[in-house]
Amino acid sequence: MIYFDQSATTQPYPEVISSYSEAAGRFFANPASLHPLGTEAEQVTEQAKEKIARQFNLENYDILSVSGATEANNMVLQGAAQMYKNRGDHIVTTVLEHASVYETAKRLESEGFRVTFVSPDDDGTISAEKVINEITDQTILVSVIHVSHELGTILPVEEIGRKIKDYPKARFHVDHVQGACKLPINIEKSGIDYVSLSPHKLHGLKGSGLLFKRKSALLKPQMNGGGQQGANRPGTENTAGLAAAAKALRISEENRGAYVNDIRRLNEYLSSELAKIPGVEINSPENRSPFILNVSVPGMKAEAIVQSLAKKDIYISTKSACSSNDIHAPSRILAEAGFEHKRASSALRLSMSYKNSMDEVCEVIQAMNRVVSEMKEVKNS
């Protein structure tokens, strides 16, 4: 099996599964309970948060345990907009955002907030200046994805954050899902107020997300029911999930230096060789994450290519797994980024992790060549 859908989810580290199993078995009590078993569970919960805080230098942040980055993104956009609406009614974001940000921003727009969606330049990138230029004296929130989950575009979130400091009304949120422990950023020094993470993208477990919230940044709670986590996210905290998340993040950070340059070489070779296949177009910009490559074969159905490769035990994806359920619809992100309909409709995402190798890349290239050639012959027959 060759798995090139690592941006959708990853295979958990064995150590992560062990950490979860141990914590779930030994520290099963509710961490909010006052008896000794609850106290033990609370200690494990807080220890996990302390480990994460040290890793990301989050002395001035609260770490909130959530179900995933989709929930974290919703919490920030809705919670910050509602909390700070007395300051203004304007939100700045980009067309490259994950659906959990983009669709929430659209909902806020329908509720009366004004939202500016910044588009990429012709080279596929978005400069810090382009984002900052949209900020007004009514802007209360700027939300920018660090690494586009479909195109792999790297956005200059650190530079944006430093410049947002000149606009005291505006809070800054970064969707760091595809960048965490791959392309690290200095959260504190960059003036970022909220950060969303999803450990299952980093060989952690599904159902356990993280939201880093600067202590001075407020959110209106989106749920009622208890005072857990400073009332920001009521409900029983996921002790085992936090322990597993801390382990996944630590291992990923420790391993990053050993494989990130290798992944970059794999990505560059994959891009150069796929571009040689007649009909294949590279969509990802040069300034992209080494873990993601987006390509199109205009005139061919992306889902047909995905299924043909799957028959060869090679697994890639079309759009983000969190996109529209209509598999025939063009990628919203590519369409809004300026790609023509045929390219946006035939987009394919190949995403890698440390588990992938050059041998696998070569096999994917050969398989893509065969599949595209075979589909052209059928189409022309």
Side-chain angles (χ1 to χ4, degrees):
M1 178 186 76
I2 298 177
Y3 183 70
F4 270 40
D5 195 19
Q6 307 281 2
S7 288
T9 197
T10 53
Q11 184 177 19
Y13 295 119
E15 300 94 325
V16 168
I17 297 174
S18 295
S19 289
Y20 183 89
S21 296
E22 180 181 5
R26 289 182 57 191
F27 308 106
F28 60 87
N30 191 321
S33 295
L34 298 179
H35 52 66
L37 290 179
T39 301
E40 282 187 346
E42 182 185 22
Q43 289 173 344
V44 173
T45 299
E46 292 306 311
Q47 286 170 1
K49 290 185 178 183
E50 288 169 6
K51 291 176 182 177
I52 295 168
R54 286 196 299 271
Q55 178 173 334
F56 290 91
N57 299 313
L58 301 175
E59 181 179 350
N60 298 313
Y61 291 76
D62 293 322
I63 296 176
L64 305 181
S65 171
V66 298
S67 63
T70 289
E71 181 185 354
N73 289 340
N74 272 266
M75 285 175 63
V76 172
L77 266 77
Q78 296 183 83
Q82 293 165 10
M83 179 60 68
Y84 294 112
K85 63 183 179 181
N86 62 317
R87 293 183 178 183
D89 63 351
H90 184 228
I91 297 167
V92 177
T93 187
T94 81
V95 300
L96 299 180
E97 303 303 310
H98 186 271
S100 56
V101 168
Y102 184 86
E103 292 177 12
T104 305
K106 284 290 188 181
R107 175 179 172 181
L108 290 169
E109 195 173 39
S110 72
E111 295 173 356
F113 288 90
R114 293 181 299 114
V115 183
T116 298
F117 294 93
V118 181
S119 298
D121 292 326
D122 291 340
D123 63 357
T125 62
I126 296 177
S127 67
E129 287 74 19
K130 196 165 187 179
V131 173
I132 297 300
N133 287 343
E134 298 296 339
I135 299 178
T136 73
D137 61 357
Q138 292 297 302
T139 304
I140 55 175
L141 180 66
V142 178
S143 181
V144 177
I145 197 166
H146 179 205
V147 175
S148 168
H149 53 297
E150 286 196 23
L151 286 167
T153 311
I154 302 172
L155 280 75
V157 293
E158 290 183 302
E159 184 181 356
I160 293 170
R162 290 192 295 269
K163 293 183 176 181
I164 285 178
K165 291 179 182 179
D166 294 333
Y167 301 87
K169 277 188 178 181
R171 292 295 186 181
F172 186 31
H173 166 242
V174 171
D175 178 340
H176 195 35
V177 169
Q178 299 296 343
C181 301
K182 297 177 182 179
L183 302 171
I185 55 177
N186 191 316
I187 295 169
E188 171 69 47
K189 288 187 177 180
S190 301
I192 302 170
D193 297 300
Y194 315 100
V195 178
S196 306
L197 262 94
S198 194
H200 81 89
K201 311 288 188 179
L202 296 161
H203 307 280
L205 302 178
K206 301 178 188 68
S208 178
L210 297 168
L211 173 59
F212 305 157
K213 185 187 75 66
R214 189 184 293 274
K215 293 181 186 296
S216 60
L218 305 178
L219 290 174
K220 184 173 182 179
Q222 298 303 295
M223 295 192 296
N224 302 308
Q228 294 94 336
Q229 305 196 76
N232 287 291
R233 204 271 191 177
T236 304
E237 287 195 74
N238 184 356
T239 300
L242 273 167
K247 180 64 68 80
L249 293 171
R250 180 181 65 79
I251 296 174
S252 293
E253 181 59 29
E254 289 176 350
N255 290 346
R256 178 175 56 84
Y259 66 74
V260 69
N261 287 331
D262 291 335
I263 294 291
R264 185 170 284 106
R265 284 190 287 271
L266 296 185
N267 189 302
E268 290 173 354
Y269 184 73
L270 180 63
S271 175
S272 65
E273 293 302 306
L274 288 181
K276 295 176 183 177
I277 300 174
V280 174
E281 302 282 350
I282 306 299
N283 299 324
S284 295
E286 289 187 13
N287 180 33
R288 64 176 178 269
S289 166
F291 298 85
I292 297 173
L293 181 67
N294 192 292
V295 305
S296 287
V297 190
M300 295 189 182
K301 293 182 178 179
E303 61 272 17
I305 295 177
V306 169
Q307 295 304 324
S308 294
L309 289 173
K311 291 177 181 178
K312 302 178 185 297
D313 219 14
I314 296 172
Y315 301 93
I316 67 171
S317 63
T318 55
K319 299 172 291 186
S320 162
C322 295
S323 297
S324 167
N325 288 329
D326 183 358
I327 61 174
H328 301 292
S331 162
R332 188 267 307 167
I333 288 175
L334 268 70
E336 295 210 33
F339 289 89
E340 63 179 4
H341 182 82
K342 283 187 176 181
R343 282 180 71 168
S345 298
S346 61
L348 301 163
R349 183 184 67 181
L350 300 93
S351 50
M352 296 174 283
S353 81
Y354 81 99
K355 295 179 72 69
N356 298 117
S357 66
M358 181 59 80
D359 286 343
E360 290 181 330
V361 167
C362 292
E363 191 167 339
V364 168
I365 293 166
Q366 293 172 3
M368 275 286 290
N369 203 346
R370 289 196 299 270
V371 167
V372 171
S373 297
E374 291 167 0
M375 290 179 69
K376 280 185 178 179
E377 288 178 4
V378 171
K379 186 176 180 181
N380 294 330
S381 62

